[in-house]
Amino acid sequence: MQLMEPFATYLDFKSGTLTPGTTVIQRRLSHMRGMYLDTAAYNRIMQEEGDRLIYEVYTVDLAEEAGQVLHCTTILYPGKVGDEFHMTKGHYHALRNRGEVYLGLEGQGYLLLQLEDGTVRSVPMQPGTAAYVPPYWAHRTVNVGDTPFIFFAAWPGDSGHDYGTIERMGFAKLMIERDGQPVLVENPRYRSG
Ligand code: S6P
Ligand code: ZN
């Protein structure tokens, strides 16, 4: 590993932007095709509103290698697709025994975690919540409020990301709105194994 100079980036707590020296990724509805349960609602939004921005990620530019501590902010915009709240794609770390820390900065959300046997846990997050993603758990966040849900994350540089497993199987549970409240329900489309 190359010896590096220390440096700092600036995190705007209100907006969630992290600058400079970061790469920004935008995830739109079309990037999540097939991930939301209500396909009719997905199609309606794409036709009537266009390709809605669901979330943005500001990642500090660092080599993805052992020894580094990667870090970023995520800004997850409020909204629903059908009854299902806006969420991130979700992933396992490619090296499964790598954990992660999330720190809630703004808004109201949930961290959903899942083991490969389909066991799901949920952790409510608000400003100040330091949520721990232990090794082996896939992780996805959900915005259950009506303002952006913003959090900071840090994880080992050699973790890598496995999106394919969640793209194929989904999460076993979904966070939907029922009678004005967020509730976790079984995902009828979840495929185990
Ligand atoms: C990275 C970490 C987060 C997510 C981000 C977007 O290991 O868990 O920074 O990348 O919240 O979610 P996703 O599932 O699209 O990567
Ligand atoms: Zn992660």
Side-chain angles (χ1 to χ4, degrees), residues 25 27 32 55-59 70-76 87-93 99-102 111 133 139-141 151-156 159-161 163:
I25 291 175
R27 291 278 180 242
M32 302 184 73
Y55 61 102
E56 295 179 285
V57 183
Y58 286 70
T59 306
L70 302 179
H71 49 293
C72 77
T73 52
T74 302
I75 304 162
L76 179 52
M87 61 188 180
T88 56
K89 292 174 74 152
H91 58 266
Y92 289 94
H93 289 156
E100 185 157 356
V101 176
Y102 280 6
L111 168 61
V133 178
H139 37 291
R140 157 179 285 170
T141 45
F151 60 94
F152 177 83
W155 68 99
S159 303
H161 289 86
Y163 289 99

